[in-house]
């Protein structure tokens, strides 16, 4: 990998991100893992000098319409990982950092949990690279808005993964700084909106899972909401409540 030239990278990466059943979308798990590892290693070594060539290639794959196939999900998931790894070469405050995060937020809307998890996991390291607290706060509020007001199950759940990833990157103090928990708690108690209740429960689940023990100080505040929702007659909310309680149980051994 160290001796690969820029010319060779131009040839190699189109093969890795091909939608022809090879590279990131190879049906063999072992081959696919090796291809992903090779791509990440090449980006780590040469991304600084090749980012102008590689970034549009990865963005093109992420922005393609959802194919609804496992192969398409694998390709998007790998392209998300490649793009986020490439973004680490950008200086803090570079406008392109926000551009990459915007691409990752769009990937959160893909109706595939593996793609959503990959995008959310990539957001954490990039959040501290934003230009300042105001820019980070704007992104947090956008994600919170999608968690509670997203038009579909997939959009709300993907945004919950993203919110947890962003908070992980900024630190637990960002929950207080951006008033995330009061908004989620109010939504979880909103008897007039199934979508808002469901979104809040998704967020509790994802925050508990992503933050682990760091989330513990907030568990005592959300526990009554999880227990009160046991009587929720709306099926989707009941499922979301069960998943949130299970996540809190695993992480904090309280339920």
């Amino acid at each position: 990998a160290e001796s690969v030239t820029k010319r060779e990278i131009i040839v190699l990466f189109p093969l890795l991100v091909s939608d022809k059943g090879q590279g990131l979308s190879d049906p063999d798990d072992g081959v696919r893992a090796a291809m992903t590892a090779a791509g990440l290693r090449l980006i780590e070594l040469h991304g600084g000098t090749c980012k102008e060539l590689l970034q549009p290639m990865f963005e093109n794959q992420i922005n393609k319409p959802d194919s609804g196939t496992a192969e398409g999900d694998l390709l998007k998931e790998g392209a998300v990982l490649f793009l986020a790894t490439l973004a680490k070469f950008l200086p803090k405050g570079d406008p392109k950092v926000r551009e990459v995060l915007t691409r990752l937020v769009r990937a959160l809307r893909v109706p595939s949990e593996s793609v959503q998890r990959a995008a959310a996991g990539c957001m954490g390291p990039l959040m501290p690279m934003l230009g300042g607290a105001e820019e980070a706060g704007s992104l947090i509020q956008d994600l919170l808005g999608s968690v509670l007001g997203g038009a579909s199950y997939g959009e709300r759940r993907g945004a919950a993964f993203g919110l947890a990833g962003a908070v992980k990157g900024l630190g637990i103090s960002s929950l207080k700084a951006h008033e995330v928990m009061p908004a989620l708690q109010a939504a979880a108690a909103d008897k007039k909106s199934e979508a808002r209740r469901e979104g809040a429960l998704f967020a509790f689940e994802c925050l508990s899972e992503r933050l682990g023990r760091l989330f513990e100080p907030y568990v005592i505040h959300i526990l009554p909401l999880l227990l009160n929702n046991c009587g929720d007659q709306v099926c989707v909310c009941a499922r979301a409540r069960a998943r949130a309680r299970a996540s809190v149980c695993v992480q904090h051994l309280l339920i």
Side-chain angles (χ1 to χ4, degrees):
E2 289 83 354
S3 60
V4 172
T5 66
K6 192 172 185 177
R7 183 182 295 273
E8 289 169 332
I9 284 177
I10 295 172
V11 174
L12 286 170
F13 270 95
L15 296 176
L16 287 176
V17 297
S18 167
D19 56 3
K20 306 298 183 183
Q22 58 189 13
L24 296 177
S25 59
D26 195 284
D28 184 277
D29 290 347
V31 172
R32 190 170 62 252
M35 291 292 189
T36 302
L40 291 172
R41 180 60 175 160
L42 287 171
I43 294 170
E44 289 169 0
L45 292 172
H46 306 288
T49 57
C50 297
K51 58 178 178 290
E52 290 80 9
L53 295 170
L54 296 176
Q55 184 172 339
M57 191 185 308
F58 302 153
E59 290 178 345
N60 179 55
Q61 288 297 341
I62 293 172
N63 293 334
K64 283 184 177 179
D66 179 44
S67 66
T69 65
E71 181 182 277
D73 289 348
L74 291 170
L75 188 54
K76 281 186 183 290
E77 183 179 342
V80 163
L81 292 174
F82 284 179
L83 180 62
T85 302
L86 186 66
K88 295 176 184 177
F89 289 95
L90 297 170
K92 182 176 180 178
D94 191 308
K96 289 185 178 179
V97 173
R98 180 58 194 254
E99 289 180 17
V100 172
L101 280 164
T102 298
R103 302 287 183 182
L104 295 177
V105 169
R106 289 178 185 169
L108 293 171
R109 300 170 188 160
V110 175
S112 163
E113 186 163 317
S114 64
V115 174
Q116 292 173 342
R117 284 184 178 275
C122 291
M123 291 178 69
L126 298 181
M127 291 298 294
M129 295 174 62
L130 286 169
E134 183 176 342
E135 195 170 12
S138 174
L139 184 54
I140 289 285
Q141 292 304 314
D142 287 347
L143 288 166
L144 186 58
S146 294
V147 167
L148 302 180
S152 67
Y153 168 96
E155 186 175 345
R156 292 190 292 276
R157 187 154 180 79
F161 283 124
L163 178 65
V167 169
K168 177 75 170 180
L170 292 172
I172 190 71
S173 61
S174 62
L175 286 176
K176 182 176 182 180
H178 303 295
E179 301 183 335
V180 173
M181 293 306 293
L184 292 177
Q185 288 171 271
D190 187 348
K191 296 181 179 180
K192 296 181 180 179
S193 174
E194 301 165 12
R196 282 171 55 81
R197 292 202 306 279
E198 182 187 47
L201 291 165
F202 285 159
F204 292 153
E205 174 196 349
C206 294
L207 287 166
S208 178
E209 178 185 293
R210 179 72 66 175
L211 300 177
R213 292 291 181 182
L214 294 174
F215 191 60
E216 201 159 276
Y218 293 96
V219 171
I220 192 171
H221 300 292
I222 67 170
L223 190 57
L225 290 168
L226 298 181
L227 295 175
N228 288 342
N229 277 336
C230 285
D232 203 323
Q233 299 301 308
V234 179
C235 187
V236 292
C237 292
R239 286 197 298 267
R241 180 260 307 159
R243 295 182 71 155
R245 292 182 66 228
S247 178
V248 170
C249 177
V250 169
Q251 296 294 333
H252 310 286
L253 302 178
L254 291 177
I255 301 176

